[in-house]
Amino acid sequence: MADAAPNQGDNSFAEKNETPKNVFDLGAFVGDLTFEEDASGDDISLEGLEQELEECKNHDVVANILSKGTTLREYTKGVENNLRQVELDSIQDYIKESDNLVSLHDQIRDCDAILSQMETLLSGFQAEIGSISSDIKILQEKSMDMGLKLKNRKVAESKLAKFVEDIIIPPRMVDIIVDGEVNEEYMRSLEILSKKLKFIGVDPMVKTSKALKDVQPELEKLRQKAVSKVFDFLVQKLYALRKPKTNIQIIQQSVLLKYKYIISFLKGHGKEIYNEVRAAYIDTMNKVLSAHFRAYIQALEKLQLDIATSSDLIGVEARSTGLFSRGREPLKNRSAVFALGDRINILKEIDQPALIPHIAEASSLKYPYEVLFRSLHKLLMDTATSEYLFCDDFFGEESIFYDIFAVGIITALKDRLLESLKRGPFAVIDEHFNSILPNCYDAIGLMLMIRIIHHHQLIMSRRRIPCLDSYLDKVNISLWPRFKMVFDLHLSSLRNANVKTLWEDDVHPHYVMRRYAEFAASLIHLNVEYGDGQLELNMERLRMAVDDLLTKLAKLFPKPKSQIVFLINNYDMTIAVLKEASPEGGKIQLHYEELLKSNTALFVEELLLEHFSDLIKFVKTRASEDSSSTSEKPITVAEIEPLVKDFASRWKAAIELMHKDVITSFSNFLCGMEILRAALTQLLLYYTRLSDSIKRVAGGSALNKDLVSISSIMYEIKKYSRTF
């Protein structure tokens, strides 16, 4: 077998695996190994095997072996043989791949040689790359340096280009400023020139440049030319405002505002010329507006309707007393002096346009002064609003407005200053108002003007235009003292009135009381929305004065009944007038309602005493006695019988007389009927008490045939009540 092994191996290598039958058989060399032979060797020991098997008998694999009935030794031998066979198979596979392994070895060796060459080459590359990296770093530093220089040069170029652009004078701009007309293109050239002038005046580097020496004289010439040209242009436009019948607002809005940049240019580059333009505008507008307001006031004065004079007072006698008293209708027919009437409409028309005088004059219309006052101040508000906004927009100075409207103005004309006192619109209006106010004795008109000023202040506040605040406050302050003075004249006329000359033998409402009622109602109406406490206090003083005068006039009537009728008629008339002014009722109205109520009760007693004095006397003195009480003089049939028969015989006639008396005594029919009903009701109460007394008198039933039934009296009362 030893000889056969090499031969067999040689054949295997010689044939190079030509046939699968010549496979190397390892079993031929090692023989058939058995476990028993190995186990019989001296180097194998099974000591402790049983103990280990005993411990592993519960293991899944061991339990499976035991369940098949195979002994552990047999199973172990099988496993050993399998392992041996796997080892032999692996060796066989290796032998089969021996040629490939040899080829692989050769390839690895060739690769190793190639890699050695590459290592040498890469080492050379590494050295070269190190050198290139150093060069790149140098180039990078140079590139950064060049980039920085380029950036600096670009910045310098940009600044230089900006400098050249800002300092150079384009020929086109020169032509426009020197020879061009003042229009939108001219103003654009002014903007460019303004930027160049600011540039050379602000930048310190420019001041040191040589280019400035060449350019600056030319720019100065252009500035002077531009300033001179725009000054002439603006002065020409301003003088256009002085032409008669010129619409100032249209010229301001449509013409001047288009050139407002010229003002900005003059402010920055021609301050002296700007001051001259400013002064020229102030002087122009001062004269134009003053002339307009003066002409408007003169036209309004022709429309004025005189309402009251110093003698038109509440307590002044209506009859003419003087030889030279002016011929006019009696004061008591001129109710407009004290009654508000339609004059209140002026407050409802507060926002209406101002009056056009020539239209009103052509229609032969006349107006109370408060209408002219509202119209004048409406025109002032609209003019002031327009002028204030224009001055702020065009000049950028609100103070110009006050220079135009104020009294004193300093004007600057070109190279000289002239100080002159001019009459501005405020002064023109003040002059007119100061001539009107001292001669105004129309308290209602004065209060209306106070309310008009209040509304005008609200209007200007809503417009957010403060230019008239101080002026309107001044007017308001001047109106109140004048109103107080005229009011005190009315008060004094009542306190100092001559009662004998005022008294008239007439129980109807007195004209003084009517004047007071209308005057008080007018002021109450004008104070409803304002609640002026000072005015209410003055009204209370006036009421006390007129009450005192009315009481004195009433006492001049010889009969108490006439006195009461006189008071009732005046109180009723006053209440009716006051209700028209304030339906809710004020302190004054409540006061007169109380007086009317108390005097009505007095008149009812007087009226009943005139017709049923015996009946009333008996009821008040005897009918109240209790018949059961011990009395020295008990009521007898003989005592009461005449009263019953007298009443039964003439009660209807007496009521008719009472009715006629009431109709003729009271000017207000409704008031008279209320008083008659109160009298009849009181009569019914007296007669009822008389009837009750008869029931308590012994033998009083004999008088029942003469008693008038209560229902009959009630019927008569209802009959007269139907006239309400």
Side-chain angles (χ1 to χ4, degrees):
M1 293 179 65
D3 295 333
N7 293 333
Q8 192 174 0
D10 292 338
N11 292 336
S12 175
F13 283 102
E15 293 173 0
K16 295 182 179 180
N17 298 326
E18 291 180 359
T19 174
K21 295 181 180 180
N22 297 323
V23 179
F24 179 72
D25 186 6
L26 185 60
F29 292 94
V30 296
D32 188 13
L33 297 178
T34 62
F35 184 77
E36 287 82 4
E37 294 176 356
D38 295 336
S40 63
D42 296 334
D43 55 347
I44 298 175
S45 176
L46 300 176
E47 183 179 357
L49 179 60
E50 292 295 337
Q51 183 179 355
E52 292 179 1
L53 291 174
E54 185 64 26
E55 292 175 355
C56 296
K57 66 180 180 179
N58 294 327
H59 195 275
D60 294 341
V61 177
V62 175
N64 187 33
I65 295 172
L66 295 178
S67 65
K68 293 180 179 179
T70 306
T71 62
L72 291 175
R73 186 177 297 280
E74 291 176 352
Y75 186 80
T76 302
K77 183 177 179 181
V79 170
E80 187 67 25
N81 289 335
N82 290 337
L83 291 174
R84 178 66 65 185
Q85 184 62 41
V86 169
E87 182 181 1
L88 292 176
D89 292 341
S90 298
I91 294 173
Q92 186 66 33
D93 292 338
Y94 181 78
I95 293 173
K96 289 180 180 179
E97 298 294 332
S98 59
D99 292 339
N100 294 334
L101 292 174
V102 172
S103 175
L104 178 61
H105 176 71
D106 294 339
Q107 292 176 4
I108 291 173
R109 186 174 56 198
D110 294 340
C111 286
D112 187 56
I114 294 170
L115 291 174
S116 178
Q117 295 176 2
M118 290 182 66
E119 182 181 7
T120 303
L121 181 62
L122 290 175
S123 297
F125 277 136
Q126 185 177 8
E128 292 179 4
I129 288 172
S131 176
I132 292 171
S133 176
S134 178
D135 294 341
I136 290 174
K137 186 174 182 181
I138 294 172
L139 290 174
Q140 185 178 13
E141 292 176 355
K142 291 182 178 180
S143 176
M144 291 177 64
D145 185 54
M146 292 176 66
L148 182 60
K149 290 180 179 179
L150 178 61
K151 182 178 180 181
N152 292 337
R153 289 180 181 181
K154 285 183 177 180
V155 172
E157 181 185 9
S158 174
K159 289 186 176 181
L160 183 60
K162 182 71 168 56
F163 173 79
V164 173
E165 181 182 355
D166 290 340
I167 204 170
I168 196 172
I169 304 175
R172 174 64 178 166
M173 185 188 77
V174 176
D175 293 340
I176 293 174
I177 291 177
V178 174
D179 301 322
E181 296 182 359
V182 179
N183 51 26
E184 293 183 2
E185 185 179 16
Y186 193 91
M187 286 191 291
R188 287 195 294 269
S189 298
L190 285 182
E191 291 183 24
I192 297 172
L193 177 60
S194 176
K195 290 179 181 178
K196 295 184 182 299
L197 291 171
K198 290 179 181 178
F199 176 70
I200 65 174
V202 174
D203 197 330
M205 294 181 63
V206 177
K207 295 180 179 180
T208 60
S209 65
K210 293 182 179 181
L212 180 61
K213 296 179 181 179
D214 297 333
V215 173
Q216 189 171 15
E218 302 302 323
L219 284 176
E220 179 62 21
K221 292 178 183 178
L222 284 176
R223 183 193 70 81
Q224 293 178 0
K225 181 63 178 177
V227 167
S228 175
K229 196 165 188 175
V230 297
F231 173 76
D232 293 338
F233 173 80
L234 286 178
V235 170
Q236 181 183 3
K237 296 298 182 185
L238 295 181
Y239 281 135
L241 296 172
R242 300 191 178 191
K243 294 180 180 180
K245 299 181 180 180
T246 298
N247 192 317
I248 297 174
Q249 283 74 26
I250 290 180
I251 292 180
Q252 288 176 336
Q253 300 298 322
S254 302
V255 179
L256 292 178
L257 281 180
K258 289 171 32 177
Y259 301 100
K260 69 178 181 179
Y261 178 75
I262 293 177
I263 298 298
S264 300
F265 179 81
L266 291 178
K267 280 184 177 180
H269 308 292
K271 192 66 176 178
E272 293 182 359
I273 300 299
Y274 167 75
N275 289 334
E276 291 187 15
V277 171
R278 183 181 186 275
Y281 179 79
I282 292 173
D283 181 67
T284 298
M285 293 307 298
N286 178 271
K287 291 179 178 177
V288 169
L289 293 180
S290 297
H292 284 183
F293 276 99
R294 189 175 292 107
Y296 188 73
I297 288 171
Q298 290 174 355
L300 287 181
E301 289 175 347
K302 298 177 182 178
L303 306 177
Q304 184 173 346
L305 174 66
D306 293 331
I307 296 296
T309 64
S310 59
S311 61
D312 295 336
L313 303 172
I314 297 175
V316 173
E317 184 185 359
R319 295 184 294 269
S320 298
T321 56
L323 179 62
F324 300 101
S325 60
R326 60 179 183 172
R328 61 185 179 96
E329 56 184 334
L331 182 62
K332 63 181 179 180
N333 295 328
R334 301 180 64 249
S335 60
V337 176
F338 308 104
L340 184 59
D342 294 336
R343 298 174 72 180
I344 188 64
N345 293 334
I346 192 67
L347 299 181
K348 301 175 184 177
E349 302 167 355
I350 199 71
D351 285 326
Q352 293 297 315
L355 287 176
I356 301 176
H358 69 271
I359 295 178
E361 189 174 2
S363 303
S364 300
L365 297 176
K366 296 288 185 178
Y367 302 95
Y369 182 71
E370 69 269 8
V371 177
L372 310 182
F373 179 84
R374 183 209 70 87
S375 185
L376 176 60
H377 283 81
K378 171 64 175 175
L379 180 64
L380 174 63
M381 285 195 305
D382 293 343
T383 304
T385 299
S386 175
E387 191 62 32
Y388 179 84
L389 294 175
F390 174 77
C391 291
D392 185 42
D393 193 7
F394 188 67
F395 290 98
E397 295 185 44
E398 298 176 359
S399 60
I400 292 180
F401 169 86
Y402 300 100
D403 293 338
I404 293 171
F405 277 73
V407 177
I409 300 174
I410 298 178
T411 60
L413 298 176
K414 295 197 175 179
D415 295 328
R416 66 187 185 279
L417 287 176
L418 297 178
E419 183 175 354
S420 59
L421 185 65
K422 297 190 179 296
R423 310 295 292 175
F426 284 160
V428 172
I429 297 174
D430 284 343
E431 182 181 7
H432 159 73
F433 192 57
N434 291 336
S435 67
I436 292 292
L437 195 59
N439 299 315
C440 181
Y441 294 91
D442 181 10
I444 304 301
L446 288 168
M447 183 53 64
L448 282 170
M449 287 187 277
I450 290 172
R451 299 313 181 206
I452 288 170
I453 286 294
H454 174 76
H455 283 286
H456 283 171
Q457 288 174 323
L458 294 178
I459 291 171
M460 295 302 289
S461 176
R462 287 195 295 269
R463 293 180 181 179
R464 298 183 179 180
I465 303 295
C467 60
L468 292 182
D469 288 354
S470 59
Y471 174 78
L472 294 177
D473 286 340
K474 183 183 73 173
V475 174
N476 191 47
I477 290 172
S478 64
L479 284 170
W480 271 108
R482 183 63 190 178
F483 170 80
K484 182 66 166 55
M485 190 274 290
V486 175
F487 187 92
D488 288 344
L489 288 178
H490 286 286
L491 184 61
S492 298
S493 71
L494 291 172
R495 290 175 174 175
N496 302 325
N498 189 334
V499 180
K500 293 182 179 180
T501 59
L502 288 177
W503 184 77
E504 297 176 350
D505 190 10
D506 187 357
V507 295
H508 290 86
H510 197 277
Y511 61 85
V512 169
M513 196 63 183
R514 180 171 292 279
R515 292 178 196 168
Y516 163 76
E518 292 174 346
F519 185 73
S522 300
L523 294 182
I524 290 172
H525 194 173
L526 291 174
N527 198 40
V528 169
E529 298 180 3
Y530 305 92
D532 192 308
Q534 189 65 31
L535 181 58
E536 292 178 356
L537 181 61
N538 286 321
M539 291 296 296
E540 186 66 19
R541 293 167 58 208
L542 191 68
R543 181 198 62 76
M544 294 171 64
V546 80
D547 282 355
D548 183 60
L549 177 61
L550 191 65
T551 302
K552 292 178 180 178
L553 289 172
K555 289 180 179 179
L556 294 180
F557 287 94
K559 296 180 180 179
K561 179 184 173 184
S562 298
Q563 296 177 7
I564 297 172
V565 171
F566 175 75
L567 292 174
I568 289 176
N569 279 327
N570 282 279
Y571 294 151
D572 178 67
M573 178 274 300
T574 303
I575 293 170
V577 174
L578 292 176
K579 281 183 177 179
E580 295 179 3
S582 180
E584 298 83 6
K587 293 181 180 179
I588 297 178
Q589 180 179 328
L590 293 176
H591 168 76
Y592 285 113
E593 287 176 350
E594 288 295 326
L595 290 178
L596 177 63
K597 183 178 179 181
S598 60
N599 280 274
T600 298
L602 292 176
F603 176 79
V604 166
E605 288 297 320
E606 288 291 332
L607 185 62
L608 293 177
L609 284 173
E610 186 176 340
H611 297 280
F612 303 100
S613 58
D614 294 337
L615 171 64
I616 295 173
K617 182 180 179 181
F618 174 82
V619 169
K620 288 184 175 181
T621 58
R622 303 283 285 161
S624 58
E625 297 177 0
D626 189 355
S627 59
S628 61
S629 63
T630 58
S631 176
E632 296 179 357
K633 294 181 180 181
I635 300 173
T636 62
V637 173
E639 182 182 359
I640 202 170
E641 183 178 6
L643 297 176
V644 173
K645 290 184 177 181
D646 178 67
F647 183 84
S649 63
R650 63 182 187 86
W651 71 277
K652 288 186 178 182
I655 290 177
E656 181 62 28
L657 291 175
M658 291 168 58
H659 176 257
K660 291 180 179 180
D661 193 0
V662 167
I663 291 296
T664 56
S665 297
F666 299 104
S667 54
N668 185 350
F669 176 76
L670 293 178
C671 177
M673 291 299 100
E674 286 285 352
I675 293 173
L676 178 60
R677 186 170 64 176
L680 295 178
T681 302
Q682 186 63 34
L683 176 62
L684 179 62
L685 292 175
Y686 284 143
Y687 193 73
T688 302
R689 292 173 63 184
L690 177 65
S691 300
D692 293 339
S693 298
I694 293 174
K695 295 177 182 178
R696 295 192 297 270
V697 174
S701 58
L703 300 175
N704 289 341
K705 63 181 185 303
D706 296 321
L707 285 175
V708 179
S709 64
I710 300 299
S711 59
S712 298
I713 300 175
M714 288 291 295
Y715 175 78
E716 288 296 320
I717 294 176
K718 290 180 180 179
K719 184 176 70 173
Y720 286 104
S721 298
R722 295 192 192 104
T723 58
F724 283 87

